Amino acid sequence: MKQESLRGSGLSPFFVPEDFLPSRPSVKQDLNTDILIIGGGLSGLLCAYTLLKAGRGVTLVTSNTVGDGASRFCSGTVTGDGGVDLRTLRDTVGREQAVAWYRLAASAVEQLEKIISDTGSKCDFRRRGSFYYTSFPKEASALREEYLLRHHIGMDCRWMGAEECEEMFSFPCVGGLWMSDVGAELNGVKLCRDLADWITLHGGAVYEGSRVDVIETMRDGGYLCRCGEASITAKGVVDARGCEILKKRPQLGRRVTVFSIATEPISVFRGWPDHCLIKSRDDFSYLRTTSDGRILYTGELSASLTPEGRMGGIDANALCRVKYGNLEEELKEMFYGIPRIKREYSFCQSLVLTKKGLPYLGRDPQWKGLCYLYAFGECGLAGAVVGSAWVSRMLCDPKIQGPEYLTLP
Ligand SMILES: Cc1cc2nc3c(=O)[nH]c(=O)nc-3n(C[C@H](O)[C@H](O)[C@H](O)COP(=O)(O)OP(=O)(O)OC[C@H]3O[C@@H](n4cnc5c(N)ncnc54)[C@H](O)[C@@H]3O)c2cc1C
């Protein structure tokens, strides 16, 4: 086994390069910029890209390395749906807003593809079909209702009954929802690095190893941000600090720990058509293949581990071993037609789940030039893509507001 990050704090996933250390300058002197972006994960970098495209001046500062934070551990699955079931969302935010979010999230893959082609990013982006299934007979009718709802709003999806599922997949499913080509997979860290390179090449500035802790308003309506000993003044600010915001506002989400394993490369994916993305409705788990032929399996959600590696009274290292073992055994059972499934990498990391399952984006109610984008939730990548476009528009036009259902409570 090459990497086993038991507590998930030290080791990076296998897809993160070994030279994952700050290599860009840090903020050492006072700066003045048009828009300051705080946070160099996918949300911040995508905002910087979009704002530069809109002709704005951009400075991005991030506390460690570009692509750190959740983006470093991201499994890179974009399913092309809204993350949360449309049916569930309809019950929490109402039909109109649920449909609005679904349409927004569905556009994320296309937007991503354009950005990747424009920036020339080599982030292993591939369009994929996606399969969303249940293996519990009592859940089949709820999933079929989900299919009907999605179909009704014009999503390109197909219902697969138990027989058809059995023909295509080697694991038991009583029903599933198939969406061809609407999903995608990518390497989040590579995308972050390529975006940072593109930003600096196109007149933006990217600083690593630089924390912004205080944001103040100035008399002229601009902002003054403290970054170590230096100050940064800006006309507008994007707060894309990721889960760090929970330290200030813990009510925004719930931290959980999620476990991932990657297998040794496999040559024939028997029982797994077209390397599609697979998501279970029965628990929080999803699977994809990687560009070097591995299976990447994420799931086994648990309460959040403490930085000291404990969960309640339990030693988390023992828990991690059990979780990684469970994932490997489940994989072997699901894909019994694949002769040699062997776990090579294991890692875990905390993930933020929100009450509605949606990201947050909007404008500060008092400081109109301060926008936030926290791409939490079950489809964080889609949130980062569509959210960054929205936030950029809000900064370019003070009349534009964020969608009400995505604004902070
Ligand atoms: C294990 C795991 C698997 C995931 N898998 C998927 C998936 O398959 N599909 C999907 O859609 N989503 C997935 N996600 C979610 C996805 O990774 C995130 O939604 C996405 O990366 C958005 O990141 P972000 O930029 O908002 O935050 P982050 O990536 O956390 O970036 C925030 C950055 O801000 C920096 N920062 C924080 N505070 C400061 C400060 N004061 N000053 C300066 N910088 C600061 C941090 O160092 C960090 O680099 C996954 C997340 C995890 C943890």
Side-chain angles (χ1 to χ4, degrees):
M1 209 112 33
K2 289 223 176 110
Q3 286 182 13
E4 187 158 78
S5 165
L6 295 177
R7 289 193 277 119
S9 50
L11 291 172
S12 289
F14 69 98
F15 42 79
V16 174
E18 278 173 15
D19 63 340
F20 193 70
L21 292 167
S23 58
R24 295 164 200 277
S26 54
V27 177
K28 294 210 172 73
Q29 58 191 41
D30 292 353
L31 300 171
N32 177 32
T33 182
D34 180 13
I35 308 286
L36 172 68
I37 296 171
I38 309 170
L42 277 165
S43 300
L45 289 158
L46 286 164
C47 277
Y49 165 85
T50 319
L51 283 160
L52 274 169
K53 280 275 173 190
R56 303 298 299 257
V58 165
T59 298
L60 181 147
V61 295
T62 196
S63 53
N64 188 21
T65 311
V66 153
D68 202 9
S71 304
R72 172 176 175 176
F73 290 88
C74 179
S75 308
T77 309
V78 198
T79 52
D81 64 17
V84 205
D85 276 3
L86 183 54
R87 184 167 169 256
T88 315
L89 204 54
R90 181 193 62 186
D91 297 343
T92 44
V93 299
R95 187 180 187 284
E96 207 177 306
Q97 301 197 321
V99 173
W101 167 248
Y102 254 67
R103 293 208 196 291
L104 207 55
S107 67
V109 172
E110 205 166 311
Q111 288 184 43
L112 254 178
E113 198 165 26
K114 279 192 192 138
I115 295 167
I116 287 162
S117 144
D118 185 45
T119 54
S121 172
K122 305 267 179 296
C123 64
D124 305 328
F125 175 90
R126 278 183 187 75
R127 283 257 186 183
R128 294 287 187 214
S130 71
F131 181 59
Y132 181 40
Y133 76 97
T134 179
S135 29
F136 295 150
K138 66 177 179 11
E139 292 298 321
S141 60
L143 187 57
R144 183 157 166 87
E145 194 193 327
E146 177 66 21
Y147 153 73
L148 289 170
L149 279 172
R150 291 189 191 185
H151 184 69
H152 186 70
I153 65 165
M155 287 184 79
D156 184 10
C157 54
R158 187 163 68 80
W159 174 253
M160 285 170 51
E163 245 173 59
E164 198 182 346
C165 291
E166 202 178 312
E167 270 168 32
M168 283 176 76
F169 295 94
S170 59
F171 50 91
C173 345
V174 294
L177 213 152
W178 174 266
M179 304 207 291
S180 28
D181 251 17
V182 294
E185 66 188 33
L186 54 81
N187 178 322
V189 170
K190 279 192 189 167
L191 178 57
C192 285
R193 288 189 151 195
D194 292 344
L195 283 169
D197 289 343
W198 187 93
I199 290 160
T200 41
L201 206 67
H202 290 78
V206 177
Y207 293 93
E208 293 183 319
S210 308
R211 271 191 84 80
V212 169
D213 282 314
V214 181
I215 309 172
E216 293 162 358
T217 47
M218 296 192 302
R219 277 212 195 107
D220 66 357
Y223 297 88
L224 188 141
C225 302
R226 309 265 176 215
C227 186
E229 299 290 297
S231 300
I232 309 174
T233 48
K235 288 191 193 121
V237 177
V238 178
D239 177 359
R241 280 180 282 179
C243 62
E244 290 234 358
I245 193 67
L246 292 191
K247 286 184 189 154
K248 268 190 167 173
R249 307 187 66 168
Q251 75 280 12
L252 292 186
R254 179 170 65 98
R255 271 179 195 267
V256 293
T257 293
V258 68
F259 299 81
S260 301
I261 62 165
T263 63
E264 287 179 353
I266 289 162
S267 47
V268 183
F269 284 80
R270 217 166 279 133
W272 189 333
D274 296 336
H275 295 261
C276 65
L277 311 172
I278 300 174
K279 186 170 134 188
S280 163
R281 190 176 185 278
D282 307 332
D283 53 20
F284 182 97
S285 67
Y286 47 98
L287 300 103
R288 57 168 274 217
T289 58
T290 65
S291 56
D292 57 348
R294 303 173 193 278
I295 299 175
L296 177 57
Y297 186 16
T298 301
E300 291 281 327
L301 218 64
S302 86
S304 187
L305 306 182
T306 66
E308 298 76 40
R310 300 199 71 78
M311 195 187 81
I314 305 170
D315 168 18
N317 285 347
L319 177 83
C320 289
R321 277 196 202 96
V322 171
K323 298 284 190 185
Y324 297 142
N326 287 349
L327 288 171
E328 187 175 7
E329 285 316 305
E330 278 169 39
L331 259 192
K332 286 180 181 163
E333 271 176 35
M334 286 174 83
F335 298 101
Y336 58 85
I338 300 177
R340 196 168 172 274
I341 290 187
K342 199 163 182 307
R343 166 165 56 112
E344 189 171 4
Y345 298 96
S346 324
F347 49 92
C348 62
Q349 177 62 9
S350 72
L351 178 82
V352 178
L353 300 178
T354 61
K355 259 194 199 136
K356 296 179 205 160
L358 299 178
Y360 294 112
L361 75 91
R363 196 188 288 284
D364 185 272
Q366 273 134 33
W367 298 356
K368 304 291 179 196
L370 170 61
C371 292
Y372 54 85
L373 172 57
Y374 308 129
F376 305 142
E378 287 165 40
C379 59
L381 279 179
V385 176
V386 298
S388 56
W390 203 298
V391 163
S392 305
R393 282 204 307 276
M394 290 198 300
L395 281 166
C396 294
D397 182 348
K399 291 193 289 298
I400 295 181
Q401 291 297 334
E404 205 190 310
Y405 60 97
L406 298 181
T407 50
L408 286 176

